[in-house]
Amino acid sequence: MNRALALFLVALLTFNVRSHAQQPLSVEEFVRPPAYASPTLSPSGKHFAVTVPINGRMNLAVVDLETRKGVALTNFKDYDVIEVDWVGDERLLFTLGQFNSPTGPGRFDGGGLFMVSRDGKESRKLFSTVRDLRSQNQFVYRYLSFARAIPGSADEVIAVGNLRDAESLDVYRLNVVSGRATLLTEDRPARTVRWVLDRNRVARVAVSYVKDTLTTVVHYRRDERDPFEELLRYDAAKPGAFVPLYFEADNKTLLIATNADRETMAVYRYDPDARKQLGLIAEHPKFDMGAAADGSRRGVGGVVTDPVTDEVIGYSVEGEKPEVIWLSESMHRLQRMVDGALPNTHNSIRRTRGDLYLVTSYSDRQPTAWYLLDERKKTLEELFSSRPWLTRDRLVDMRPFYLKTRDGLEILSYYFLPADYKPGRKLPTVIHVHGGPMARADYWGRFTFGVREAQLLASRGYAVVLPNFRITPGLGNRTYFAGFGAFGRQMLEDHEDAARWAVAQGFADPERICISGASYGGYATLMSLARFPKTFKCGVAGLVVSDVELLLTSPAGDIPSNPEGVEFWKRIIGVARVSDIPREISPVNLAERIKQPVLFYAGADDIRTPLEQTTRMVRALERGGNPPKAVIIKPEEGHGYGRIENNVDLYNQILKFLDETIGGKRGG
């Protein structure tokens, strides 16, 4: 990093990276927010938008690449800026949310849509946040979200939103200066939840659902003057998904992802006019490509496009480690050059304009860094490092393994061992269960919620296992669909199987195993303590679900306002009606069976798993004679803690709790 950029970092963040020649990393150094996140280059290639920590939250700043001077554009104290898009070269759009959550950055009670000019002189709130609307007793959230840029436009974008119908998304042409939204999909199917635009940015494919079911319907039209016709429909709770992805250059051939008659989602060409599949393009025998079986595309990999030309240039997959296949020799050559300059890391390449490329580089022991590659000049310049204080010698390997469950599934998972571990030692071990549960929350080389906890605990002498489990998307049909009807039942057995695996490997002391997690992971912690008292000696339960029926009905939360989401939950639980949910899958009804020590943490303003879920469970344990060892509730925090001081306090208390229950080696 050059001197000007380093000075910007110090001035803007008030963090001064210190030398740690022999000292162990502090809790603060593990939990502090990144110095930089999500850099995005402007269309001209002259400016970077980036989020940086200001006032304890990730706020938006812009850096001039020529002068390397930075300007902070936002100053939020109760939200993080989580999504940023350029509108031409002079304006930016962004939304708000929670950067640190059990399943990755999310909107939760944030959202909204905001515009700010690159120099900070012009700003506009286009749509309010969920929190603002709820404070006004408005529980139907109307919004627009950025969908696509319009080439050459400095004030308009393509956006999607539910302005006409709360249950349906339309496509709009949005003027970010005036706020005027022009409807582009006057004729659209009911309950449309996703659109695919062609190369001319015309909405040609609409994905909708049938009310009170998990039936997904895919519609298509030949051009913007034709009516939509149904292509096909499928049940989202069974194999046979058909997920439209992208139009090829002819604007006729559609790339789709499907798992029909196969074990994983794969990418195919499809002729929507003839309603005919044209052939397989990209597949992986173990991992989904293009989309997960639930239809989501986040964190799955698939079609890689050139942001300048819109051409398909490769295919990617999120396997044990990320992989990419380039279609052209020029991209292969660039990849080899970058990998030679940045060895022992995964290096992704994305063209920004002309001969300029943004390189994102990371590994399990190197937090993400970004570089600017100039192909013409043959230069590779470091721009930003997300966490420069976390160096290879301070982190441990993130080791993949396949968890074999008692009923025969093989599920990709990860584990961490202390740096000084010697084979034969029996370690205190933590099984950290990810949130969701319908989420793949942890990836190799990403400093996610679970990875952060694992690295911190490994530095203090603990072994940590991050198990995936049935219903985790992206890992193929067997793992995903085995989760339907398994919530609170076989899904929990997967967590115990992870503990048994760790014991069988020889590093876990069977008498010193704790379970932890947040959101679904908090639920899994409480249920596992009740179900498997001989396996788990203590529990760290964050952002918990303690009453499943209440989660799907309480006005304090955001899930009941999403009928499609409630229907999905019912299928995972295995009931026809919310009132049919068995009492025995809610921890609040099993409190008398939990005798192990428990630590709770929650955010007072959480609307995903509202505070009532924690307080009811605490009272139930108190009535059962096992009051929690600690209950940490932070004001002005939501579904995950954003402020560094709250995270430092949380993990200091977690370390103290673990030391007193299963015992570790304090590293400082």
Side-chain angles (χ1 to χ4, degrees):
M1 181 183 298
N2 64 44
R3 184 173 180 274
L5 197 55
L7 289 174
F8 165 65
L9 172 64
V10 173
L12 193 58
L13 311 184
T14 69
F15 281 134
N16 185 13
V17 180
R18 302 182 300 276
S19 172
H20 296 276
Q22 300 299 326
Q23 298 175 357
L25 290 171
S26 66
V27 169
E28 177 182 341
E29 288 166 307
F30 278 105
V31 304
R32 68 164 30 159
Y36 297 97
S38 308
T40 306
L41 194 62
S42 68
S44 70
K46 295 179 179 179
H47 309 281
F48 257 107
V50 66
T51 58
V52 295
I54 302 173
N55 287 326
R57 291 289 184 175
M58 297 302 291
N59 274 278
L60 177 61
V62 168
V63 179
D64 185 303
L65 275 182
E66 183 176 347
T67 65
R68 299 307 168 95
K69 292 181 179 179
V71 177
L73 298 179
T74 66
N75 191 27
F76 293 101
K77 298 179 181 178
D78 49 358
Y79 289 111
D80 299 305
V81 174
I82 60 169
E83 297 170 14
V84 180
D85 295 283
W86 284 94
V87 185
D89 222 49
E90 298 299 322
R91 298 182 180 91
L92 301 105
L93 285 178
F94 63 91
T95 59
L96 302 175
Q98 179 71 39
F99 182 80
N100 175 47
S101 90
T103 53
R107 296 184 181 189
F108 304 111
D109 68 342
L113 187 64
F114 303 81
M115 182 275 291
V116 63
S117 60
R118 179 173 55 80
D119 58 10
K121 295 179 180 179
E122 181 184 8
S123 64
R124 184 183 184 97
K125 179 168 73 172
L126 298 165
F127 287 90
S128 297
T129 63
V130 173
R131 185 185 305 174
D132 285 343
L133 294 176
R134 288 172 69 93
S135 69
Q136 301 166 22
N137 293 318
Q138 297 182 42
F139 295 95
V140 177
Y141 181 47
R142 305 282 184 169
Y143 67 93
L144 283 182
S145 295
F146 175 88
R148 297 279 290 276
I150 298 176
S153 177
D155 52 16
E156 287 191 319
V157 298
I158 302 296
V160 297
N162 64 346
L163 305 187
R164 272 204 302 171
D165 179 351
E167 292 186 341
S168 291
L169 297 181
D170 279 296
V171 181
Y172 294 85
R173 192 176 182 107
L174 173 66
N175 187 301
V176 303
V177 179
S178 68
R180 181 182 178 184
T182 303
L183 180 67
L184 300 178
T185 49
E186 185 70 41
D187 173 31
R188 59 118 172 91
R191 290 178 290 279
T192 293
V193 293
R194 193 167 75 82
W195 292 91
V196 178
L197 279 57
D198 66 16
R199 296 294 185 90
N200 297 323
R201 288 160 175 76
V202 174
R204 299 271 304 284
V205 176
V207 180
S208 66
Y209 68 97
V210 178
K211 192 174 180 63
D212 299 325
T213 75
L214 289 187
T215 300
T216 298
V217 186
V218 181
H219 309 264
Y220 165 77
R221 60 180 176 178
R222 286 178 172 83
D223 59 48
E224 59 186 328
R225 296 179 298 276
D226 285 345
F228 281 99
E229 297 179 357
E230 181 179 325
L231 276 182
L232 53 82
R233 58 181 59 200
Y234 64 92
D235 186 337
K238 300 176 182 177
F242 180 100
V243 182
L245 301 175
Y246 200 72
F247 276 96
E248 291 195 331
D250 62 5
N251 268 341
K252 295 180 180 180
T253 307
L254 190 62
L255 299 181
I256 62 108
T258 183
N259 57 4
D261 302 318
R262 53 175 299 119
E263 171 56 26
T264 60
M265 296 284 285
V267 181
Y268 290 80
R269 284 191 177 91
Y270 181 82
D271 182 342
D273 291 326
R275 303 192 179 195
K276 179 181 178 181
Q277 200 159 283
L278 301 178
L280 175 67
I281 299 175
E283 66 175 340
H284 194 285
K286 293 182 178 179
F287 304 102
D288 293 334
M289 293 187 68
D294 64 353
S296 64
R297 292 170 294 162
R298 176 184 174 188
V300 178
V303 181
V304 182
T305 61
D306 187 311
V308 177
T309 66
D310 287 339
E311 293 301 311
V312 177
I313 57 174
Y315 298 93
S316 64
V317 65
E318 289 287 349
E320 296 178 16
K321 300 178 181 180
E323 304 172 43
V324 64
I325 301 281
W326 298 114
L327 299 181
S328 70
E329 178 55 34
S330 62
M331 288 303 297
H332 275 294
R333 185 173 61 253
L334 271 182
Q335 187 73 61
R336 289 194 297 270
M337 182 177 75
V338 171
D339 290 346
L342 302 172
N344 304 315
T345 54
H346 172 71
N347 306 303
S348 68
I349 305 170
R350 181 174 176 81
R351 188 153 73 110
T352 56
R353 68 162 180 83
D355 295 323
L356 288 181
Y357 296 80
L358 178 65
V359 177
T360 304
S361 179
Y362 61 86
S363 77
D364 55 342
R365 296 181 66 180
Q366 177 192 294
T368 303
W370 294 274
Y371 298 80
L372 189 65
L373 170 64
D374 189 317
E375 185 181 19
R376 182 176 60 83
K377 296 179 180 178
K378 298 293 189 294
T379 59
L380 185 65
E381 177 187 6
E382 182 175 355
L383 295 170
F384 311 104
S385 178
S386 61
R387 292 176 171 88
W389 55 90
L390 294 182
T391 53
R392 287 189 60 83
D393 59 327
R394 303 298 182 181
L395 300 175
V396 299
D397 294 336
M398 182 176 182
R399 308 169 188 234
F401 75 98
Y402 286 85
L403 173 63
K404 295 185 178 180
T405 68
R406 62 194 69 184
D407 60 347
L409 298 177
E410 295 188 6
I411 307 174
L412 172 67
S413 301
Y414 297 93
Y415 71 106
F416 301 73
L417 297 175
D420 62 353
Y421 175 72
K422 298 294 189 299
R425 286 174 55 197
K426 304 291 186 184
L427 299 174
T429 300
V430 175
I431 310 298
H432 177 93
V433 180
H434 69 65
M438 301 80 71
R440 185 176 173 187
D442 300 307
Y443 299 83
W444 183 88
R446 315 273 184 86
F447 208 67
T448 59
F449 190 91
V451 170
R452 181 184 71 174
E453 180 170 310
Q455 290 284 3
L456 170 58
L457 296 182
S459 75
R460 267 58 179 176
Y462 293 90
V464 183
V465 181
L466 302 185
N468 287 312
F469 45 89
R470 66 194 69 210
I471 208 63
T472 303
L475 307 181
N477 290 357
R478 290 193 66 207
T479 294
Y480 179 69
F481 291 109
F484 284 83
F487 183 90
R489 304 175 185 88
Q490 295 96 327
M491 206 178 290
L492 298 173
E493 294 173 355
D494 296 346
H495 312 328
E496 191 195 29
D497 288 342
R500 291 180 174 182
W501 174 87
V503 171
Q505 296 304 301
F507 64 78
D509 183 340
E511 299 303 316
R512 295 191 293 165
I513 298 178
C514 190
I515 184 167
S516 78
S519 196
Y520 169 78
Y523 167 86
T525 293
L526 297 172
M527 286 296 295
S528 297
L529 293 175
R531 283 275 308 273
F532 313 115
K534 293 183 179 179
T535 300
F536 298 111
K537 309 306 180 183
C538 63
V540 176
L543 320 176
V544 304
V545 175
S546 64
D547 187 324
V548 179
E549 182 175 347
L550 185 68
L551 181 75
L552 303 184
T553 57
S554 172
D558 65 341
I559 293 177
S561 63
N562 180 0
E564 184 186 12
V566 172
E567 189 64 34
F568 202 78
W569 271 99
K570 289 191 295 184
R571 292 290 289 272
I572 291 170
I573 296 167
V575 296
R577 298 170 300 183
V578 172
S579 58
D580 295 334
I581 294 173
R583 285 178 50 83
E584 62 269 17
I585 69 167
S586 289
V588 73
N589 301 320
L590 306 177
E592 73 282 353
R593 293 169 55 178
I594 298 176
K595 305 301 182 184
Q596 306 96 312
V598 188
L599 178 148
F600 286 89
Y601 63 93
D605 296 334
D606 192 349
I607 67 168
R608 179 56 48 87
T609 56
L611 186 58
E612 63 189 8
Q613 294 280 344
T614 296
T615 55
R616 289 187 179 208
M617 190 68 206
V618 168
R619 288 197 296 269
L621 285 174
E622 290 171 344
R623 288 194 299 270
N626 182 31
K629 297 300 181 184
V631 179
I632 305 165
I633 300 173
K634 297 297 184 182
E636 300 180 347
E637 292 281 18
H639 202 59
Y641 290 175
R643 296 190 175 279
I644 185 171
E645 63 270 21
N646 290 339
N647 280 299
V648 169
D649 179 55
L650 169 65
Y651 278 100
N652 275 324
Q653 292 202 50
I654 288 175
L655 287 171
K656 180 175 182 292
F657 172 80
L658 292 175
D659 285 353
E660 292 174 350
T661 51
I662 59 175
K665 181 189 69 177
R666 297 306 295 268

